Amino acid sequence: MSVNIYGSGAPVRLFVAGLHGDEWKDTSDILYNLKTPRHGTLITIPVVNSGEYVSTLDENYYKNQGKLIIDTVIKYQPSIYVELHSYSGENIIYLTDKNRLKNTGVPAYSKLDNNVLLGSVAPYIRRNYFSKKALCLSFEIKKSDEKSKQFAAKLADIVKECDSRDEFILFLKQIYPEQAEKAIENYKKFYGL
C-alpha cells in the first residue's frame, strides 16, 4: 500500500482503488496511469486492501482495512475524494436499485456510459471526515470490461482537474443532466436539506 503524491497546493484530491477483495485487478492501474494535475495536488492510493472483502458501508472497514484512507484524509484534508470500485454484472441490480437508500443507507448508483456507475461514498467517511462542500464520489467499474475501465479512466482524468464539487456538477449537468439531478437530490436527502 503506497500513497503517491503528484503536484502541490490546493485543491487537494484523493483517489483510492483496490479497496477490498480483488477489485484492484480492475481499478488500480487507472490510478497508476494518472498524470500530475495542471494545478493543485493529486494523492493516490492504488491498492488499499487486496485481502478479504469487507464492505465500505461497514464503518469498521475504515477503522481497519481502510485506516490508511482515514489517515491520509486527516493529514492532507482533500476537498475532492474518489473511490474506484468494481462490480460483477449480476450485482448491478443491487447497486442501482431505487430502494437502495432504504435498504443499505446509501443512494442507488446512477448509470453512466460503458457500464460505469456513479454514486456516493459510505456515510461514515462522508459525514465524519469531509465538509458538506467536499466532492465525494464512488465510481463502480464492471469487472473484466475493458471499455468500462477506459471510460472510468477518462472520468478520473476529468475529476483530477476539477477544483471543486460545483465544477464537477457543472460537467455532469452538461453530459448527464438526469444523473446530475439525481446526484443533487441524493446529496440534499443525505444532509436533510
Side-chain angles (χ1 to χ4, degrees):
M1 293 186 289
S2 64
V3 176
N4 307 301
I5 301 174
Y6 307 95
S8 62
V12 176
R13 309 157 187 100
L14 172 60
F15 289 19
V16 300
L19 284 93
H20 37 207
D22 65 354
E23 284 187 335
W24 63 271
K25 293 177 182 177
D26 293 291
T27 59
S28 296
D29 58 338
I30 292 171
L31 299 190
Y32 284 123
N33 290 317
L34 282 176
K35 306 289 186 234
T36 302
R38 287 188 299 262
H39 64 280
T41 306
L42 172 64
I43 303 168
T44 66
I45 306 174
V47 182
V48 174
N49 175 38
S50 59
E52 74 175 289
Y53 180 93
V54 176
S55 175
T56 56
L57 297 179
D58 178 347
E59 70 179 58
N60 288 318
Y61 172 85
Y62 293 100
K63 296 174 183 176
N64 296 298
Q65 294 88 346
K67 187 175 182 321
L68 179 59
I69 297 171
I70 299 301
D71 293 345
T72 305
V73 169
I74 290 169
K75 184 173 182 177
Y76 295 101
Q77 299 292 301
S79 58
I80 296 175
Y81 173 64
V82 176
E83 291 182 356
L84 295 179
H85 293 273
S86 66
Y87 68 94
S88 298
E90 65 270 11
N91 290 330
I92 193 168
I93 192 164
Y94 303 111
L95 295 168
T96 59
D97 180 13
K98 66 179 178 176
N99 294 316
R100 189 167 192 250
L101 182 61
K102 184 174 78 172
N103 296 336
T104 64
V106 290
Y109 279 85
S110 295
K111 294 178 186 178
L112 301 180
D113 292 322
N114 296 301
N115 297 310
V116 173
L117 308 177
L118 168 67
S120 183
V121 298
Y124 173 78
I125 191 169
R126 180 70 173 108
R127 284 197 175 106
N128 294 311
Y129 294 95
F130 291 96
S131 75
K132 287 183 182 180
K133 291 184 177 185
L135 175 65
C136 295
L137 301 173
S138 174
F139 289 111
E140 285 273 359
I141 302 161
K142 188 174 180 186
K143 284 183 181 284
S144 303
D145 183 330
E146 194 56 37
K147 285 185 178 179
S148 188
K149 183 188 283 191
Q150 289 172 1
F151 186 68
K154 287 180 186 176
L155 290 172
D157 201 51
I158 289 166
V159 178
K160 81 165 172 77
E161 299 298 342
C162 288
D163 288 337
S164 66
R165 175 194 69 199
D166 293 341
E167 187 176 335
F168 177 75
I169 293 293
L170 183 61
F171 158 78
L172 201 62
K173 281 182 176 179
Q174 291 170 349
I175 310 296
Y176 301 102
E178 185 179 310
Q179 291 87 334
E181 287 306 313
K182 186 168 176 54
I184 293 166
E185 177 187 322
N186 288 339
Y187 174 84
K188 288 179 177 177
K189 282 183 186 174
F190 184 77
Y191 281 111
L193 302 173

PDB file of all heavy atoms in Angstrom, residues 20-41:
ATOM      1  N   HIS A  20     -11.173  -3.515  -1.602  1.00  0.00           N
ATOM      2  CA  HIS A  20     -11.456  -4.812  -0.976  1.00  0.00           C
ATOM      3  C   HIS A  20     -11.495  -5.915  -2.017  1.00  0.00           C
ATOM      4  O   HIS A  20     -11.758  -5.674  -3.184  1.00  0.00           O
ATOM      5  CB  HIS A  20     -12.758  -4.800  -0.166  1.00  0.00           C
ATOM      6  CG  HIS A  20     -13.861  -3.990  -0.744  1.00  0.00           C
ATOM      7  ND1 HIS A  20     -14.840  -3.426   0.023  1.00  0.00           N
ATOM      8  CD2 HIS A  20     -14.153  -3.630  -2.009  1.00  0.00           C
ATOM      9  CE1 HIS A  20     -15.680  -2.768  -0.740  1.00  0.00           C
ATOM     10  NE2 HIS A  20     -15.287  -2.878  -1.985  1.00  0.00           N
ATOM     11  N   GLY A  21     -11.208  -7.133  -1.533  1.00  0.00           N
ATOM     12  CA  GLY A  21     -11.236  -8.282  -2.424  1.00  0.00           C
ATOM     13  C   GLY A  21     -10.272  -8.122  -3.586  1.00  0.00           C
ATOM     14  O   GLY A  21      -9.161  -7.625  -3.420  1.00  0.00           O
ATOM     15  N   ASP A  22     -10.741  -8.517  -4.771  1.00  0.00           N
ATOM     16  CA  ASP A  22      -9.862  -8.444  -5.953  1.00  0.00           C
ATOM     17  C   ASP A  22     -10.166  -7.246  -6.840  1.00  0.00           C
ATOM     18  O   ASP A  22      -9.807  -7.221  -8.014  1.00  0.00           O
ATOM     19  CB  ASP A  22      -9.949  -9.740  -6.759  1.00  0.00           C
ATOM     20  CG  ASP A  22     -11.319  -9.977  -7.375  1.00  0.00           C
ATOM     21  OD1 ASP A  22     -12.258  -9.193  -7.083  1.00  0.00           O
ATOM     22  OD2 ASP A  22     -11.465 -10.942  -8.138  1.00  0.00           O
ATOM     23  N   GLU A  23     -10.807  -6.218  -6.288  1.00  0.00           N
ATOM     24  CA  GLU A  23     -11.129  -5.024  -7.075  1.00  0.00           C
ATOM     25  C   GLU A  23      -9.894  -4.388  -7.711  1.00  0.00           C
ATOM     26  O   GLU A  23      -9.994  -3.768  -8.769  1.00  0.00           O
ATOM     27  CB  GLU A  23     -11.808  -3.961  -6.194  1.00  0.00           C
ATOM     28  CG  GLU A  23     -13.231  -4.243  -5.862  1.00  0.00           C
ATOM     29  CD  GLU A  23     -13.879  -3.079  -5.137  1.00  0.00           C
ATOM     30  OE1 GLU A  23     -13.181  -2.285  -4.501  1.00  0.00           O
ATOM     31  OE2 GLU A  23     -15.108  -2.973  -5.216  1.00  0.00           O
ATOM     32  N   TRP A  24      -8.770  -4.521  -7.063  1.00  0.00           N
ATOM     33  CA  TRP A  24      -7.547  -3.902  -7.577  1.00  0.00           C
ATOM     34  C   TRP A  24      -7.250  -4.330  -9.012  1.00  0.00           C
ATOM     35  O   TRP A  24      -6.668  -3.571  -9.784  1.00  0.00           O
ATOM     36  CB  TRP A  24      -6.362  -4.222  -6.658  1.00  0.00           C
ATOM     37  CG  TRP A  24      -6.039  -5.684  -6.584  1.00  0.00           C
ATOM     38  CD1 TRP A  24      -6.560  -6.595  -5.710  1.00  0.00           C
ATOM     39  CD2 TRP A  24      -5.162  -6.397  -7.437  1.00  0.00           C
ATOM     40  NE1 TRP A  24      -6.055  -7.842  -5.966  1.00  0.00           N
ATOM     41  CE2 TRP A  24      -5.184  -7.752  -7.021  1.00  0.00           C
ATOM     42  CE3 TRP A  24      -4.345  -6.045  -8.502  1.00  0.00           C
ATOM     43  CZ2 TRP A  24      -4.431  -8.741  -7.655  1.00  0.00           C
ATOM     44  CZ3 TRP A  24      -3.596  -7.028  -9.127  1.00  0.00           C
ATOM     45  CH2 TRP A  24      -3.634  -8.358  -8.692  1.00  0.00           C
ATOM     46  N   LYS A  25      -7.688  -5.541  -9.395  1.00  0.00           N
ATOM     47  CA  LYS A  25      -7.417  -6.034 -10.741  1.00  0.00           C
ATOM     48  C   LYS A  25      -8.068  -5.165 -11.814  1.00  0.00           C
ATOM     49  O   LYS A  25      -7.581  -5.092 -12.937  1.00  0.00           O
ATOM     50  CB  LYS A  25      -7.910  -7.478 -10.891  1.00  0.00           C
ATOM     51  CG  LYS A  25      -7.147  -8.471 -10.043  1.00  0.00           C
ATOM     52  CD  LYS A  25      -7.736  -9.859 -10.188  1.00  0.00           C
ATOM     53  CE  LYS A  25      -7.022 -10.864  -9.318  1.00  0.00           C
ATOM     54  NZ  LYS A  25      -7.631 -12.210  -9.401  1.00  0.00           N
ATOM     55  N   ASP A  26      -9.188  -4.533 -11.467  1.00  0.00           N
ATOM     56  CA  ASP A  26      -9.917  -3.718 -12.444  1.00  0.00           C
ATOM     57  C   ASP A  26      -9.770  -2.217 -12.222  1.00  0.00           C
ATOM     58  O   ASP A  26     -10.171  -1.437 -13.082  1.00  0.00           O
ATOM     59  CB  ASP A  26     -11.414  -4.075 -12.386  1.00  0.00           C
ATOM     60  CG  ASP A  26     -11.687  -5.477 -12.852  1.00  0.00           C
ATOM     61  OD1 ASP A  26     -11.524  -5.737 -14.051  1.00  0.00           O
ATOM     62  OD2 ASP A  26     -12.031  -6.339 -12.010  1.00  0.00           O
ATOM     63  N   THR A  27      -9.220  -1.818 -11.088  1.00  0.00           N
ATOM     64  CA  THR A  27      -9.238  -0.387 -10.761  1.00  0.00           C
ATOM     65  C   THR A  27      -7.871   0.254 -10.540  1.00  0.00           C
ATOM     66  O   THR A  27      -7.678   1.426 -10.859  1.00  0.00           O
ATOM     67  CB  THR A  27     -10.088  -0.144  -9.492  1.00  0.00           C
ATOM     68  OG1 THR A  27      -9.524  -0.885  -8.402  1.00  0.00           O
ATOM     69  CG2 THR A  27     -11.536  -0.572  -9.702  1.00  0.00           C
ATOM     70  N   SER A  28      -6.927  -0.491  -9.986  1.00  0.00           N
ATOM     71  CA  SER A  28      -5.672   0.118  -9.538  1.00  0.00           C
ATOM     72  C   SER A  28      -4.846   0.736 -10.657  1.00  0.00           C
ATOM     73  O   SER A  28      -4.261   1.815 -10.480  1.00  0.00           O
ATOM     74  CB  SER A  28      -4.834  -0.903  -8.778  1.00  0.00           C
ATOM     75  OG  SER A  28      -5.522  -1.292  -7.601  1.00  0.00           O
ATOM     76  N   ASP A  29      -4.801   0.089 -11.813  1.00  0.00           N
ATOM     77  CA  ASP A  29      -3.966   0.645 -12.883  1.00  0.00           C
ATOM     78  C   ASP A  29      -4.489   1.976 -13.394  1.00  0.00           C
ATOM     79  O   ASP A  29      -3.737   2.768 -13.961  1.00  0.00           O
ATOM     80  CB  ASP A  29      -3.731  -0.354 -14.013  1.00  0.00           C
ATOM     81  CG  ASP A  29      -4.990  -0.865 -14.660  1.00  0.00           C
ATOM     82  OD1 ASP A  29      -6.055  -0.803 -14.027  1.00  0.00           O
ATOM     83  OD2 ASP A  29      -4.909  -1.337 -15.797  1.00  0.00           O
ATOM     84  N   ILE A  30      -5.773   2.257 -13.171  1.00  0.00           N
ATOM     85  CA  ILE A  30      -6.302   3.584 -13.531  1.00  0.00           C
ATOM     86  C   ILE A  30      -5.535   4.654 -12.751  1.00  0.00           C
ATOM     87  O   ILE A  30      -5.116   5.670 -13.305  1.00  0.00           O
ATOM     88  CB  ILE A  30      -7.819   3.675 -13.262  1.00  0.00           C
ATOM     89  CG1 ILE A  30      -8.578   2.755 -14.232  1.00  0.00           C
ATOM     90  CG2 ILE A  30      -8.311   5.121 -13.365  1.00  0.00           C
ATOM     91  CD1 ILE A  30     -10.047   2.616 -13.920  1.00  0.00           C
ATOM     92  N   LEU A  31      -5.329   4.397 -11.467  1.00  0.00           N
ATOM     93  CA  LEU A  31      -4.624   5.381 -10.640  1.00  0.00           C
ATOM     94  C   LEU A  31      -3.132   5.398 -10.930  1.00  0.00           C
ATOM     95  O   LEU A  31      -2.505   6.456 -10.897  1.00  0.00           O
ATOM     96  CB  LEU A  31      -4.874   5.112  -9.153  1.00  0.00           C
ATOM     97  CG  LEU A  31      -6.338   5.201  -8.707  1.00  0.00           C
ATOM     98  CD1 LEU A  31      -6.430   5.154  -7.194  1.00  0.00           C
ATOM     99  CD2 LEU A  31      -7.029   6.438  -9.246  1.00  0.00           C
ATOM    100  N   TYR A  32      -2.558   4.244 -11.218  1.00  0.00           N
ATOM    101  CA  TYR A  32      -1.134   4.205 -11.566  1.00  0.00           C
ATOM    102  C   TYR A  32      -0.854   5.023 -12.830  1.00  0.00           C
ATOM    103  O   TYR A  32       0.251   5.547 -12.996  1.00  0.00           O
ATOM    104  CB  TYR A  32      -0.661   2.767 -11.801  1.00  0.00           C
ATOM    105  CG  TYR A  32      -0.471   1.971 -10.534  1.00  0.00           C
ATOM    106  CD1 TYR A  32      -1.154   0.769 -10.356  1.00  0.00           C
ATOM    107  CD2 TYR A  32       0.393   2.384  -9.528  1.00  0.00           C
ATOM    108  CE1 TYR A  32      -0.979   0.009  -9.204  1.00  0.00           C
ATOM    109  CE2 TYR A  32       0.572   1.641  -8.375  1.00  0.00           C
ATOM    110  CZ  TYR A  32      -0.109   0.453  -8.212  1.00  0.00           C
ATOM    111  OH  TYR A  32       0.067  -0.282  -7.073  1.00  0.00           O
ATOM    112  N   ASN A  33      -1.834   5.129 -13.720  1.00  0.00           N
ATOM    113  CA  ASN A  33      -1.628   5.807 -15.004  1.00  0.00           C
ATOM    114  C   ASN A  33      -2.045   7.275 -15.032  1.00  0.00           C
ATOM    115  O   ASN A  33      -1.870   7.941 -16.047  1.00  0.00           O
ATOM    116  CB  ASN A  33      -2.365   5.047 -16.108  1.00  0.00           C
ATOM    117  CG  ASN A  33      -1.707   3.712 -16.389  1.00  0.00           C
ATOM    118  OD1 ASN A  33      -0.491   3.622 -16.465  1.00  0.00           O
ATOM    119  ND2 ASN A  33      -2.506   2.666 -16.516  1.00  0.00           N
ATOM    120  N   LEU A  34      -2.594   7.796 -13.923  1.00  0.00           N
ATOM    121  CA  LEU A  34      -2.965   9.212 -13.897  1.00  0.00           C
ATOM    122  C   LEU A  34      -1.716  10.089 -13.883  1.00  0.00           C
ATOM    123  O   LEU A  34      -0.717   9.758 -13.257  1.00  0.00           O
ATOM    124  CB  LEU A  34      -3.820   9.534 -12.662  1.00  0.00           C
ATOM    125  CG  LEU A  34      -5.284   9.120 -12.722  1.00  0.00           C
ATOM    126  CD1 LEU A  34      -5.970   9.411 -11.392  1.00  0.00           C
ATOM    127  CD2 LEU A  34      -6.016   9.833 -13.854  1.00  0.00           C
ATOM    128  N   LYS A  35      -1.813  11.195 -14.565  1.00  0.00           N
ATOM    129  CA  LYS A  35      -0.707  12.160 -14.618  1.00  0.00           C
ATOM    130  C   LYS A  35      -0.940  13.260 -13.588  1.00  0.00           C
ATOM    131  O   LYS A  35      -2.047  13.460 -13.095  1.00  0.00           O
ATOM    132  CB  LYS A  35      -0.614  12.789 -16.017  1.00  0.00           C
ATOM    133  CG  LYS A  35      -0.507  11.785 -17.146  1.00  0.00           C
ATOM    134  CD  LYS A  35       0.848  11.112 -17.158  1.00  0.00           C
ATOM    135  CE  LYS A  35       0.979  10.218 -18.376  1.00  0.00           C
ATOM    136  NZ  LYS A  35       1.335   8.870 -18.088  1.00  0.00           N
ATOM    137  N   THR A  36       0.094  14.013 -13.305  1.00  0.00           N
ATOM    138  CA  THR A  36       0.011  15.140 -12.378  1.00  0.00           C
ATOM    139  C   THR A  36      -1.033  16.140 -12.880  1.00  0.00           C
ATOM    140  O   THR A  36      -1.062  16.457 -14.069  1.00  0.00           O
ATOM    141  CB  THR A  36       1.390  15.831 -12.271  1.00  0.00           C
ATOM    142  OG1 THR A  36       2.344  14.859 -11.833  1.00  0.00           O
ATOM    143  CG2 THR A  36       1.362  16.993 -11.304  1.00  0.00           C
ATOM    144  N   PRO A  37      -1.902  16.653 -11.985  1.00  0.00           N
ATOM    145  CA  PRO A  37      -2.887  17.647 -12.424  1.00  0.00           C
ATOM    146  C   PRO A  37      -2.211  18.953 -12.843  1.00  0.00           C
ATOM    147  O   PRO A  37      -1.082  19.240 -12.435  1.00  0.00           O
ATOM    148  CB  PRO A  37      -3.768  17.850 -11.181  1.00  0.00           C
ATOM    149  CG  PRO A  37      -2.925  17.420 -10.031  1.00  0.00           C
ATOM    150  CD  PRO A  37      -1.997  16.379 -10.551  1.00  0.00           C
ATOM    151  N   ARG A  38      -2.921  19.738 -13.655  1.00  0.00           N
ATOM    152  CA  ARG A  38      -2.372  21.015 -14.117  1.00  0.00           C
ATOM    153  C   ARG A  38      -2.051  21.936 -12.945  1.00  0.00           C
ATOM    154  O   ARG A  38      -1.114  22.720 -12.994  1.00  0.00           O
ATOM    155  CB  ARG A  38      -3.340  21.702 -15.078  1.00  0.00           C
ATOM    156  CG  ARG A  38      -3.411  21.035 -16.438  1.00  0.00           C
ATOM    157  CD  ARG A  38      -4.221  21.852 -17.413  1.00  0.00           C
ATOM    158  NE  ARG A  38      -5.599  22.021 -16.975  1.00  0.00           N
ATOM    159  CZ  ARG A  38      -6.626  21.277 -17.397  1.00  0.00           C
ATOM    160  NH1 ARG A  38      -6.430  20.327 -18.295  1.00  0.00           N
ATOM    161  NH2 ARG A  38      -7.835  21.491 -16.950  1.00  0.00           N
ATOM    162  N   HIS A  39      -2.880  21.874 -11.903  1.00  0.00           N
ATOM    163  CA  HIS A  39      -2.605  22.633 -10.676  1.00  0.00           C
ATOM    164  C   HIS A  39      -3.206  21.869  -9.501  1.00  0.00           C
ATOM    165  O   HIS A  39      -4.056  21.001  -9.675  1.00  0.00           O
ATOM    166  CB  HIS A  39      -3.148  24.066 -10.770  1.00  0.00           C
ATOM    167  CG  HIS A  39      -4.636  24.126 -10.880  1.00  0.00           C
ATOM    168  ND1 HIS A  39      -5.300  23.907 -12.059  1.00  0.00           N
ATOM    169  CD2 HIS A  39      -5.590  24.350  -9.949  1.00  0.00           C
ATOM    170  CE1 HIS A  39      -6.613  24.009 -11.862  1.00  0.00           C
ATOM    171  NE2 HIS A  39      -6.801  24.275 -10.590  1.00  0.00           N
ATOM    172  N   GLY A  40      -2.743  22.211  -8.326  1.00  0.00           N
ATOM    173  CA  GLY A  40      -3.220  21.528  -7.134  1.00  0.00           C
ATOM    174  C   GLY A  40      -2.504  20.197  -6.936  1.00  0.00           C
ATOM    175  O   GLY A  40      -1.501  19.902  -7.593  1.00  0.00           O
ATOM    176  N   THR A  41      -3.037  19.395  -6.030  1.00  0.00           N
ATOM    177  CA  THR A  41      -2.413  18.146  -5.617  1.00  0.00           C
ATOM    178  C   THR A  41      -3.330  16.968  -5.899  1.00  0.00           C
ATOM    179  O   THR A  41      -4.544  17.047  -5.664  1.00  0.00           O
ATOM    180  CB  THR A  41      -2.120  18.189  -4.097  1.00  0.00           C
ATOM    181  OG1 THR A  41      -1.347  19.348  -3.802  1.00  0.00           O
ATOM    182  CG2 THR A  41      -1.390  16.940  -3.629  1.00  0.00           C
TER     183      THR A  41
END
